[in-house]
Amino acid sequence: MESDDATGPMRPGGDAPTAAPQPPTLQESLEVVAAALSSVPPEKRQALLGVLATYSSDPTHEANSLAYLRSELAKTTGRQTIDPASIATGQPPGGAT
Amino acid sequence: MSITVPAVLPPEHYLRPIKIQEGGLRALTHLAMVRSASGAPQRAYVKQFPHNAARSLFNEWFGHIFMSAMGVAQPEAAVLLAPVPGQSRSAWAFVSFEPMPRSEGTPKEIYNLANDKHAQILATRLLACHGFALLNAADQLCINGDRNIGNLVFTGPRSFVAIDHSDILGGCDWHIDSLLRPTSWATAKLAELCNAVKPLPPSQRDALVAAADVAIEALYAQWQPLHSALQDNRESCIALDAVWWRSLHVAQWYRDRLQLLL
């Protein structure tokens, strides 16, 4: 029987991480790309897949290709949203209370 | 010209979330029902900022006060400790109430700039707006290089309100030493967009230069009230001093810029 992995990257409740954030794994990155690709127009999707295929033919550029795709998708779809867990509590500006 | 300071609302003024705005790269923004300072429930955009944008909330607050002193039209705004969507906690937020009585949306929502016809219509409309030249000058004074077509809301055929000042003062993570360095000029994206569609005629160039002079005069006339409104704390004083130093050169910059690049 598998046990729950309490040390995984996603923690219920959004507690602040206690260690430096780790770069996403390839699997996580691919999931992001796949989800984003599903929301762009077909003509753009085809172009982006072409980019992915080109870059992926050289494994040393794999990380670059994913980063490039992420940035392109962010520009194309405009649907990326900041992770609520990254929001700072902050304080009212100007000393206002 | 009156200076308006965003009200600090008690948390109970937040009534309910409506919808998360997709596409925000610098802030988590959601539409919500919020009671304004007058107590009336209104639709409002609630912006909360990530850890890596430490100055954004201050910039919004400072920018709103500064723009009001310059005479730039803005929606009613407030600061509020609001729930973070999807989280069981709250964070301080900058709240922009939906412009009343009429809000047409941002140019980004209305026009598709990939379409030449749309770009021409937008450029013509922007240049016809009464506050366009003044907004350009005020943005340059407060080092706003991010005044783009998503950062104003049309409220009529020739009117808009300015929103989103989170990237003024050179960005969302400015340091004191970055404000003390020699002035670096912000990109006047909207003016350059209009000029790209059709070179600005002399009358429009004159209007931009004249607006820079008007903004500088307004800054000097409102200097003491601005200090009072900004509550004279250290951060605000440093930011305002940076604006003052910039004011010494901004009119000349506009003259040079309009000759050389626009």
Side-chain angles (χ1 to χ4, degrees):
Chain A
M1 187 170 66
E2 290 181 9
S3 62
D4 290 337
D5 180 6
T7 62
M10 299 297 289
R11 295 192 293 175
D15 291 341
T18 54
Q22 297 296 309
T25 63
L26 179 60
Q27 181 63 33
E28 289 167 342
S29 298
L30 286 172
E31 286 171 6
V32 170
V33 171
L37 281 172
S38 69
S39 63
V40 299
E43 63 275 14
K44 185 70 179 178
R45 191 183 310 155
Q46 201 58 41
L48 290 174
L49 284 170
V51 171
L52 182 62
T54 302
Y55 277 99
S56 294
S57 63
D58 182 349
T60 59
H61 290 157
E62 195 171 64
N64 285 343
S65 71
L66 291 173
Y68 175 81
L69 280 167
R70 273 185 155 167
S71 67
E72 282 299 299
L73 286 164
K75 282 189 285 187
T76 304
T77 66
R79 298 176 72 84
Q80 187 175 340
T81 302
I82 284 184
D83 179 3
S86 72
I87 295 301
T89 301
Q91 55 187 357
T97 54
Chain B
M1 209 174 299
S2 63
I3 294 177
T4 57
V5 178
V8 180
L9 300 175
E12 54 269 25
H13 273 233
Y14 184 93
L15 300 176
R16 63 180 172 82
I18 297 174
K19 176 187 170 192
I20 291 185
Q21 298 291 111
E22 292 179 326
L25 297 175
R26 301 288 183 87
L28 180 63
T29 304
H30 71 278
L31 186 61
M33 288 301 291
V34 179
R35 283 191 196 282
S36 67
S38 68
Q42 284 180 237
R43 286 158 61 98
Y45 294 91
V46 178
K47 290 181 73 175
Q48 292 163 313
F49 303 96
H51 291 279
N52 62 5
R55 302 283 191 186
S56 288
L57 181 56
F58 172 86
N59 285 0
E60 289 276 12
W61 177 80
F62 181 96
H64 186 92
I65 296 170
F66 174 77
M67 287 290 177
S68 73
M70 296 295 101
V72 173
Q74 299 173 100
E76 183 180 348
V79 177
L80 171 73
L81 189 61
V84 180
Q87 303 263 297
S88 56
R89 65 189 180 96
S90 294
W92 284 94
F94 191 80
V95 179
S96 291
F97 290 95
E98 202 166 66
M100 301 281 280
R102 180 171 165 182
S103 173
E104 291 187 30
T106 66
K108 190 176 181 179
E109 292 168 328
I110 301 170
Y111 301 101
N112 171 17
L113 289 192
N115 180 317
D116 289 345
K117 188 76 177 170
H118 280 215
Q120 286 171 13
I121 293 170
L122 173 59
T124 303
R125 186 173 183 182
L126 281 174
L127 291 171
C129 283
H130 308 299
F132 182 68
L134 183 60
L135 176 67
N136 272 272
D139 276 334
Q140 200 55 252
L141 268 178
C142 67
I143 325 178
N144 186 1
D146 191 41
R147 179 67 62 200
N148 59 61
I149 58 171
N151 290 347
L152 53 91
V153 177
F154 281 121
T155 53
R158 295 187 175 201
S159 61
F160 60 74
V161 291
I163 58 169
D164 191 354
H165 311 309
S166 61
D167 270 8
I168 66 170
L169 300 170
C172 60
D173 56 354
W174 58 267
H175 297 281
I176 290 171
D177 61 344
S178 69
L179 290 185
L180 297 178
R181 286 184 205 129
T183 287
S184 59
W185 299 105
T187 308
K189 290 180 181 175
L190 295 178
E192 296 193 6
L193 179 154
C194 293
N195 190 66
V197 171
K198 182 182 176 186
L200 296 180
S203 61
Q204 291 289 356
R205 294 172 186 238
D206 288 347
L208 287 169
V209 173
D213 289 328
V214 168
I216 293 165
E217 288 299 317
L219 175 67
Y220 297 158
Q222 300 277 5
W223 188 251
Q224 285 305 329
L226 256 176
H227 260 286
S228 300
L230 291 166
Q231 300 172 25
D232 268 339
N233 69 25
R234 183 168 179 268
E235 198 176 27
S236 300
C237 288
I238 290 167
L240 201 50
D241 282 349
V243 172
W244 188 85
W245 283 108
R246 202 171 173 79
S247 74
L248 302 179
H249 306 287
V250 74
Q252 186 59 46
W253 178 83
Y254 260 97
R255 290 186 187 96
D256 295 345
R257 183 78 174 172
L258 290 167
Q259 282 178 349
L260 295 176
L261 294 177
L262 288 184

